[in-house]
Amino acid sequence: MLPSYDLAAIMARLAGREPSPDAPTEERQAAVAAILRAPEGSPPSALGPAGPEAPAPAEAELLLIRRAEHPADPWSGHMALPGGRRDATDASLLATAIRETREEVGIDLEAHGTLLARLPDLPAVVRGRRVGMIIAPFVFALRSTPALTLSDEVAEAIWTPLGPLARGESASKYAYTHEGTVIELPCLLVGERVVWGLTYRMLEQLFEVLHA
């Protein structure tokens, strides 16, 4: 594990990771953004090396959203990362992540963020089955945090400390009923909210990179 999950430590660990190009695929594509920030009120050292007299920087926070309830959305009501499907006008999946983040929560990652890494693509799975879509997760650090403006696709957006999630302090089990059988799946608890499924797997990929 990292000795600290402050933003500067995370940025140092991910430094030099060149994002991979989009892989050719016949499947539909989507992209999401794992957005990290130094907590509000953090000293300037949160984004750079701290001197010997400086207090320990606060741990980075992760932006999570709760998707609005919609009968046509297979992830309706789930905790998630901002993102969505690639449009024909998107030049790349990175462009998709940036556009979808701006549309869903009002953060312009080009103006306020720094791209840190691209995590491995994951196949979208609904009710235990692949649905013909590949999702690309990108990791960003915010240089400043604009006010959130939520679209009607987002019911809620919260900032939560990354450290407890990465250290396994929030690990739990989620009872998921699949075809009449209850299956206990790994999850992360954020207060009363449950992060499981694809978003859980994406965060586990991030933690694997941070702990490598």
Side-chain angles (χ1 to χ4, degrees):
M1 294 187 182
L2 287 176
S4 171
Y5 289 92
D6 65 276
L7 191 57
I10 292 171
M11 293 176 72
R13 177 57 60 90
L14 297 179
R17 292 180 62 90
E18 288 294 329
S20 58
D22 296 342
T25 178
E26 296 298 320
E27 294 184 286
R28 293 170 294 160
Q29 296 176 305
V32 300
I35 304 171
L36 304 173
R37 73 169 186 181
E40 291 184 342
S42 296
S45 60
L47 289 175
E53 303 299 323
E59 293 188 326
E61 294 179 330
L62 170 72
L63 180 64
L64 291 171
I65 65 170
R66 178 165 56 85
R67 299 181 63 85
E69 300 282 349
H70 195 286
D73 181 1
W75 298 285
S76 173
H78 289 198
M79 298 302 295
L81 302 172
R85 296 183 182 182
R86 182 175 185 171
D87 279 353
T89 57
D90 292 335
S92 65
L93 285 167
L94 174 59
T96 300
I98 291 171
R99 175 185 55 76
E100 284 283 341
T101 297
R102 184 173 58 249
E103 293 175 358
E104 289 190 341
V105 297
I107 294 178
D108 186 340
L109 291 171
E110 291 182 303
H112 299 279
T114 298
L115 176 63
L116 302 183
R118 177 177 181 166
L119 303 175
D121 295 353
L122 285 173
V125 176
V126 176
R127 300 179 183 88
R129 294 183 175 85
R130 291 185 59 159
V131 294
M133 178 185 292
I134 296 296
I135 304 176
F138 294 88
V139 184
F140 292 85
L142 289 186
R143 297 185 294 274
S144 59
T145 307
L148 299 180
T149 304
L150 307 187
S151 75
D152 57 7
E153 296 178 2
V154 179
E156 177 186 31
I158 61 169
W159 291 100
T160 188
L162 186 72
L165 305 179
R167 288 188 292 266
E169 298 169 10
S170 303
S172 187
K173 296 290 185 181
Y174 174 65
Y176 173 67
T177 303
H178 177 61
E179 297 180 351
T181 301
V182 177
I183 305 170
E184 286 199 338
L185 298 176
C187 71
L188 297 168
L189 298 181
V190 180
E192 297 180 352
R193 305 166 183 86
V194 179
V195 179
W196 66 288
L198 282 169
T199 302
Y200 172 87
R201 291 168 61 196
M202 292 172 188
L203 293 180
E204 284 295 295
Q205 288 190 150
L206 172 59
F207 302 152
E208 288 174 7
V209 172
L210 293 178
H211 299 159

